[in-house]
Amino acid sequence: MLAYTQFRFQLHNLRPFFAYLHSSLISVTQKRKYIHYYNNNRMKQKLKGLSQV
């Protein structure tokens, strides 16, 4: 029982770390989405330029 409470306490101490990890993961996926969107737009503009020629 004591080991369990110690484990719970350690888990509680790790909570900010997990929150940080989660937020950083979210920001990474958002950046990836943004980069993907940006690249798609650039490709479309290139295709537009090619079709106009």
Side-chain angles (χ1 to χ4, degrees):
M1 194 64 197
L2 186 70
Y4 175 71
T5 48
Q6 279 176 339
F7 171 71
R8 281 289 301 271
F9 186 68
Q10 282 174 342
L11 208 65
H12 188 72
N13 282 350
L14 282 174
R15 195 167 285 165
F17 170 71
F18 282 125
Y20 167 73
L21 208 68
H22 186 241
S23 65
S24 63
L25 270 175
I26 286 173
S27 67
V28 163
T29 51
Q30 281 176 342
K31 276 180 198 163
R32 208 172 280 164
K33 272 183 198 166
Y34 173 74
I35 288 167
H36 180 72
Y37 177 72
Y38 176 73
N39 284 344
N40 272 0
N41 276 1
R42 257 190 19 204
M43 278 300 285
K44 280 176 193 166
Q45 282 169 353
K46 275 183 192 170
L47 288 173
K48 257 185 217 169
L50 284 173
S51 63
Q52 280 169 4
V53 169

